Amino acid sequence: MPDSAMWTNASLQASTVLPVVPDSAHGTRRVVLFGPPGSGKTTAAGVLGRQSGLPVLRLAPGPQDARVACAGLLELALALPALPAARELTAALDETAGRSGSPDDAGRALRLRRLTAALLREAPPMTLVVDNAQWLDHASAAVLGWALRLAPDLPVIAAERAWRPGVAGHWCGEDTCAVPIPPLTAPQVAALLSPFRLAPREVTRVHAHSGGNPALALALAGASCPLADREGEGEPTLPPAARRLVGEWLGEVPAQVQELLTFAALDDRPDLELLARLAGPAAEALLAQAEAAGLLDIGRADGSVQFTASAIGTELTTRLPGDARRLLHARLVEASNDSVRRDRHTVLAADDTDPRSAQRAARAAVRARQRGDHALAAELSFLAAQRTSHDDSGLLTERALTAVRDAAHYGDLPRGRAAARLVLGHDTTPEQRVDTLIALIDASGRHLHGADELFADALHTAAGRPGLTAQILIRQSIWANVNEGDPRRACALAGQATALAETAGDTTATVMALTMRARLQRVLGHADAETTLGRALSLPRAASIPVNGTPQHLAARHALFDDRPDEARTVLLPLLVEAERAGDAEATVDILRSLAEAELRAGRCARALHHADRAQALTDGTALSAAPACYTSALVEGTARRTDLALVHARHGVDTALQEDNKVFLSRNLFALGHLLLATGRPKEALEVLEEVRSLEELQQVGDPSVLRWHPELAETFVALGRLDQAQSLLDDTRRTATELGRDAVLPPLERAQALLDAARGHYDTAARRLTDAADRLRHLPLERGRTLLALSHTERRGRRRASARAAAQSAADLFTAHQAHPWAETATHTLRRLEAVPTGGDAHPRLTSAEQRCAELAAAGASNRDIATTLTVSIKTVEATLTRVYRKLGLHSRFQLAHTVTPARE
């Protein structure tokens, strides 16, 4: 038996990380898996084959086989040597090879078809897997396709190297399901690379450069330095193994295609129009070849083109000698319609020592910054600094600091560090050195490695200069809060910074230090937080403070914490204009996030979605951390649009925060995830997540319950799972703290949770009074009022007051619909329909059998089908059938609706 054909069985262990096989592929008889080289098609084919429960026969033609007629049929016959039909087919193929003429001749073709069909009939039950099916020779594909039509029950899985193949007329059959193999996600790449013990930042970079391609990710990770930083004069260079792999991919397309791809690699944002101007009428055909080879994605809605892995562009530019690169940039100058990009190419086409190129780059960076093109501004300002003469140290330092700050705004850490070295590597004043180190710290953000050494260097340089020392301590305070999760130490550092800044008479540093201290005092639950913030607001506003670090932004955040969304919005709108004019992507994202939360609290869901979508898009288009935008997107999306997408955002935010060791946004994204799981009827899963939030918040010594309102969500989860004493204890503790701090805004959600607890204990009148009072106090927050009315409807129904339950559900549905909170409106509408469907004088529940009722209650409590089957001592199929009847009787479509319709069972 040749090595390419082997029997495997379902007991083989899968790889540590498997590609995500879409649900549409499972249970399908004929599947074509397609994707670029190294995407995991072979692994996915193996997974599907083993899941079929049958032995797997694997064929794997190579590139040399594509030119040999009937090589695929011979491989199939040799894989089944014990079968008479296989021996006959082998003999027929030998006879064909020994005669002149083509196997496509009618007589020989018919014989091969008959013998192949007979072989498939004689073969034992199996799944046929054809790997590298793009190299299956034409004659074999034609014969096999005909024979497979006569064996419709034979499962076939083909794995093809293609970017976007069609399945019409595919040899697998007319009903073939084409399944793209998606790139690995960031968490999957992290799992794949876990044996390499890379830092989270390196894993993130490998994922970006590999495009989620497993083979390329492994090649990048296997080097001591996965991808060289853009440092100094150097260009990014792939490690040898990655270069060989990408070189193989590029070798599949002719030189003309590679030349056009090189132009795309040299432009920072290539599009179809630019490449058409460069290649002329041949552009469409050349791009189609690049796409078919899996090198380029040309189907983007905005007309731009993108390499399937950025390492492809890196390899193309690395191959170019300096003179050749400058000539290509000169051609791009002529082809580009964008003035800023023309300037970029003009600079890169010029000699490195030309002083005019530095000035041109600096001017172009200003224009890029003004129009919000943060990535281009960061590159151009760095080019300006690189090409400034070292003899003009003042101008060099000024431009290098600008480059560091532009890199910080975009989140481009390697370029920020390279720009900082232009200053630190030369004789500079202590002030310039400290300014550079501070800019580098700001650029590094959550990716600040060697933080202790860097802070120590900055503090040593700033010794005896209280204003400079204060600036460094402010950054240390931020680091201690976000990365160390120690707001108490962070608050102490902010206090020291305040004292030093006031001593130095540095108003800017004083404002920044006071703002940071007020932020931390609020988190810790200190009573003087507002006094400290008031001091910061009373001082003159400095233009050099990032907009998201101003006391005005913090005042808006405090207004949000206190449920004053309109006040917050009034402050935030002018701050958004400032952030956008400054070209500060991170500040713009933060202000947009705050605006989204303000609009959501006020019930303006459409506006909240607009701001959240903008924040997410800006984050996705830069190198900024995804964790903050994901948190806001999860909250807004889950309330206003789709809970499934919201869950994706929340989980991505959790993964990112874990990778970056960002404890603040780990708590927030976990909270969003727990909230969504509870809202979609999965209290068991919600409990695990919200308990983790509780632990994190306690470790971080968060003392103010208004900052992150996980308390009522966890209490409701306890109630849903029948843990009533735990719910009561949490509510009592939180209510006591909120009252002591004067956080009245926290109390209505706590009252809602308390009312649900009262109802669970059978105190329906008390619960209804609590909910009615809470709803009255929430008239300025329509969505919170709607949730409370929905809880009132649930309580009244349990108390068998159907008319009151219907009125409350109707009011909730009207509120959610008016404010475009679509998931909540759907839940309220289904609750209302159920109540209206019950005959007058009938039971509050539609007629469910006792088995259906028990099954529904367990499902509403978050139990899985397997858990329900174990509890009721029935099969999983019985549970599925029972729940199907329950959904039909109640007019429901999901467990989300079931959880809001049926009283959950207590554990």
Side-chain angles (χ1 to χ4, degrees):
M1 182 186 301
D3 292 339
S4 60
M6 66 188 75
W7 286 99
T8 62
N9 60 56
S11 66
L12 291 178
Q13 293 296 317
S15 303
T16 302
V17 175
L18 299 173
V20 176
V21 179
D23 291 339
S24 60
H26 296 286
T28 303
R29 286 286 178 184
R30 304 285 165 85
V31 177
V32 177
L33 304 172
F34 65 89
S39 58
K41 301 180 296 297
T42 298
T43 306
V47 171
L48 278 181
R50 290 191 293 274
Q51 289 176 347
S52 70
L54 298 172
V56 173
L57 176 62
R58 180 175 176 269
L59 308 180
Q64 70 281 0
D65 299 322
R67 298 184 294 275
V68 180
C70 297
L73 293 180
L74 180 61
E75 187 176 9
L76 174 63
L78 293 176
L80 300 166
L83 300 180
R87 292 194 292 271
E88 286 188 57
L89 178 58
T90 303
L93 291 169
D94 289 342
E95 182 181 340
T96 298
R99 294 184 180 180
S100 60
S102 168
D104 290 331
D105 290 347
R108 295 176 187 175
L110 289 173
R111 184 182 181 198
L112 292 177
R113 292 186 181 197
R114 177 178 59 79
L115 292 173
T116 302
L119 174 59
L120 295 181
R121 283 196 304 272
E122 287 186 16
M126 67 177 186
T127 295
L128 177 63
V129 173
V130 183
D131 199 8
N132 292 325
Q134 73 277 2
W135 290 321
L136 183 66
D137 64 279
H138 173 75
S140 294
V143 172
L144 193 57
W146 185 88
L148 286 172
R149 290 207 306 271
L150 303 181
D153 294 330
L154 174 65
V156 181
I157 302 166
E160 287 191 7
R161 179 182 295 188
W163 184 248
R164 193 179 289 117
V167 294
H170 196 278
W171 57 264
C172 276
E174 295 180 358
D175 297 328
T176 298
C177 175
V179 178
I181 298 299
L184 296 185
T185 63
Q188 287 175 316
V189 169
L192 180 71
L193 304 185
S194 58
F196 295 92
R197 300 186 181 280
L198 298 178
R201 180 173 64 94
E202 289 299 326
V203 173
T204 301
R205 293 178 65 205
V206 169
H207 177 250
H209 293 301
S210 69
N213 184 289
L216 183 53
L218 289 168
L220 291 169
S224 58
C225 179
L227 189 72
D229 287 350
R230 295 182 298 269
E231 297 177 348
E233 298 297 322
E235 290 290 335
T237 304
L238 299 178
R243 292 197 70 179
R244 285 193 296 272
L245 181 60
V246 175
E248 290 176 12
W249 300 355
L250 291 169
E252 296 188 6
V253 295
Q256 301 95 315
V257 175
Q258 292 188 40
E259 182 183 16
L260 189 58
L261 291 176
T262 304
F263 280 117
L266 291 173
D267 195 74
D268 72 305
R269 195 173 296 170
D271 57 35
L272 294 173
E273 291 184 6
L274 174 68
L275 298 179
R277 286 193 293 272
L278 287 162
E284 184 175 352
L286 296 176
L287 288 169
Q289 291 182 67
E291 183 186 40
L295 301 172
L296 202 65
D297 180 6
I298 63 174
R300 300 166 68 83
D302 60 357
S304 65
V305 300
Q306 183 174 337
F307 288 106
T308 54
S310 64
I312 298 171
T314 300
E315 172 61 14
L316 287 165
T317 56
T318 301
R319 294 177 174 184
L320 286 175
D323 291 343
R325 184 180 306 187
R326 283 192 285 273
L327 287 173
L328 293 183
H329 277 298
R331 286 189 59 188
L332 282 161
V333 172
E334 299 172 359
S336 179
N337 284 337
D338 183 282
S339 62
V340 178
R341 288 185 165 78
R342 276 200 305 272
D343 281 345
R344 173 184 178 270
H345 290 302
T346 301
V347 171
L348 292 170
D351 188 86
D352 293 350
T353 60
D354 185 351
R356 293 173 299 178
S357 68
Q359 186 176 2
R360 182 186 290 271
R363 289 199 302 263
V366 172
R367 302 206 310 278
R369 200 177 300 121
Q370 288 172 341
R371 72 185 192 185
D373 199 336
H374 308 288
L376 187 55
E379 182 188 5
L380 288 166
S381 60
F382 181 54
L383 281 171
Q386 276 186 309
R387 301 191 175 203
T388 300
S389 171
H390 290 173
D391 295 333
D392 192 344
S393 61
L395 183 59
L396 172 62
T397 300
E398 177 188 336
R399 285 178 174 170
L401 284 172
T402 300
V404 175
R405 293 185 182 112
D406 278 338
H409 290 163
Y410 178 62
D412 190 343
L413 175 56
R415 185 173 276 129
R417 287 180 170 171
R421 277 195 295 277
L422 293 175
V423 178
L424 300 177
H426 298 84
D427 292 334
T428 52
T429 66
E431 287 77 8
Q432 290 174 328
R433 184 175 179 85
V434 170
D435 282 347
T436 303
L437 289 169
I438 288 173
L440 179 58
I441 291 168
D442 290 343
S444 300
R446 286 165 286 275
H447 302 292
L448 185 57
H449 296 277
D452 292 340
E453 182 180 344
L454 192 56
F455 282 126
D457 185 3
L459 289 170
H460 175 75
T461 305
R465 297 173 175 83
L468 293 177
T469 303
Q471 293 274 6
I472 298 163
L473 291 176
I474 292 168
R475 273 70 181 186
Q476 269 194 302
S477 174
I478 296 170
W479 177 262
N481 181 47
V482 174
N483 291 76
E484 295 177 359
D486 191 349
R488 197 172 299 281
R489 177 171 177 265
C491 191
L493 287 167
Q496 295 174 39
T498 301
L500 288 169
E502 289 176 335
T503 299
D506 187 334
T507 303
T508 299
T510 302
V511 171
M512 293 177 66
L514 284 169
T515 302
M516 188 63 194
R517 191 179 186 195
R519 182 190 309 274
L520 295 161
Q521 286 175 333
R522 178 74 186 236
V523 168
L524 293 166
H526 290 182
D528 48 359
E530 296 305 318
T531 302
T532 304
L533 178 57
R535 288 174 59 195
L537 289 167
S538 69
L539 294 173
R541 169 83 181 276
S544 59
I545 300 177
V547 175
N548 55 335
T550 61
Q552 287 75 19
H553 181 230
L554 183 60
R557 296 297 304 171
H558 284 195
L560 274 176
F561 296 158
D562 294 331
D563 282 347
R564 303 194 307 274
D566 290 333
E567 179 182 327
R569 180 176 182 270
T570 301
V571 175
L572 289 166
L573 286 173
L575 294 180
L576 177 61
V577 175
E578 288 184 43
E580 291 176 326
R581 286 178 178 171
D584 188 337
E586 184 173 15
T588 303
V589 167
D590 279 351
I591 303 302
L592 284 169
R593 289 181 47 250
S594 294
L595 272 169
E597 292 177 37
E599 300 290 17
L600 192 68
R601 295 296 287 171
R604 294 183 283 264
C605 289
R607 294 183 186 178
L609 278 170
H610 173 71
H611 294 313
D613 288 346
R614 285 188 61 197
Q616 191 69 58
L618 185 53
T619 297
D620 293 343
T622 64
L624 295 172
S625 168
C630 281
Y631 165 63
T632 303
S633 292
L635 289 181
V636 175
E637 184 80 38
T639 300
R641 194 156 48 195
R642 289 176 55 182
T643 53
D644 55 342
L645 293 181
L647 285 164
V648 171
H649 283 303
R651 291 189 170 108
H652 181 43
V654 170
D655 292 335
T656 302
L658 283 169
Q659 287 183 7
E660 297 174 348
D661 196 25
N662 183 335
K663 294 180 174 57
V664 171
F665 277 97
L666 176 58
S667 290
R668 278 157 176 68
N669 280 285
L670 283 169
F671 162 71
L673 179 58
H675 162 75
L676 290 164
L677 290 170
L678 178 63
T680 52
R682 288 180 271 180
K684 276 191 174 181
E685 296 173 63
L687 177 63
E688 182 179 354
V689 174
L690 291 170
E691 285 280 32
E692 189 172 354
V693 175
R694 181 185 204 172
S695 298
L696 284 167
E697 294 289 284
E698 289 175 353
L699 284 172
Q700 294 174 75
Q701 307 162 69
V702 177
D704 192 322
S706 69
V707 176
L708 187 66
R709 299 189 187 178
W710 55 267
H711 314 77
E713 303 291 327
L714 180 55
E716 286 193 31
T717 304
F718 281 143
V719 173
L721 296 175
R723 302 185 181 185
L724 307 187
D725 291 342
Q726 289 175 274
Q728 189 66 69
S729 177
L730 174 60
L731 288 169
D732 290 344
D733 291 345
T734 309
R735 191 182 293 111
R736 186 183 309 110
T737 302
T739 302
E740 290 172 356
L741 293 175
R743 306 293 184 236
D744 294 342
V746 176
L747 298 178
L750 294 176
E751 286 296 286
R752 181 173 63 232
Q754 181 68 61
L756 292 173
L757 175 58
D758 292 339
R761 288 170 168 164
H763 307 314
Y764 301 119
D765 291 342
T766 302
R769 283 195 298 272
R770 282 188 192 277
L771 289 166
T772 301
D773 291 344
D776 287 341
R777 295 173 61 183
L778 290 167
R779 291 187 179 278
H780 64 304
L781 303 176
L783 303 186
E784 283 295 311
R785 176 175 166 80
R787 281 190 66 182
T788 304
L789 289 170
L790 200 56
L792 176 60
S793 175
H794 180 74
T795 298
E796 295 284 42
R797 179 178 58 80
R798 293 187 66 182
R800 300 185 181 277
R801 292 188 284 259
R802 191 170 62 84
S804 298
R806 189 170 61 246
Q810 183 66 66
S811 297
D814 291 345
L815 273 173
F816 291 135
T817 301
H819 294 278
Q820 297 178 290
H822 299 299
W824 285 105
E826 180 184 353
T827 300
T829 299
H830 277 283
T831 299
L832 187 62
R833 286 174 182 168
R834 177 180 175 275
L835 287 164
E836 290 175 340
V838 178
T840 303
D843 192 279
H845 295 277
R847 289 188 178 87
L848 299 179
T849 67
S850 59
E852 290 169 347
Q853 183 68 36
R854 182 58 177 154
C855 192
E857 290 172 352
L858 289 168
S864 68
N865 286 0
R866 185 177 298 277
D867 291 338
I868 297 171
T870 301
T871 301
L872 301 180
T873 320
V874 296
S875 69
I876 295 176
K877 286 189 176 181
T878 299
V879 173
E880 292 171 350
T882 302
L883 286 176
T884 299
R885 293 196 303 273
V886 169
Y887 291 152
R888 185 175 63 250
K889 286 185 177 183
L890 300 183
L892 306 178
H893 303 285
S894 68
R895 292 201 181 204
F896 177 37
Q897 298 164 2
L898 185 67
H900 290 275
T901 304
V902 175
T903 303
R906 299 187 190 179
E907 289 190 336

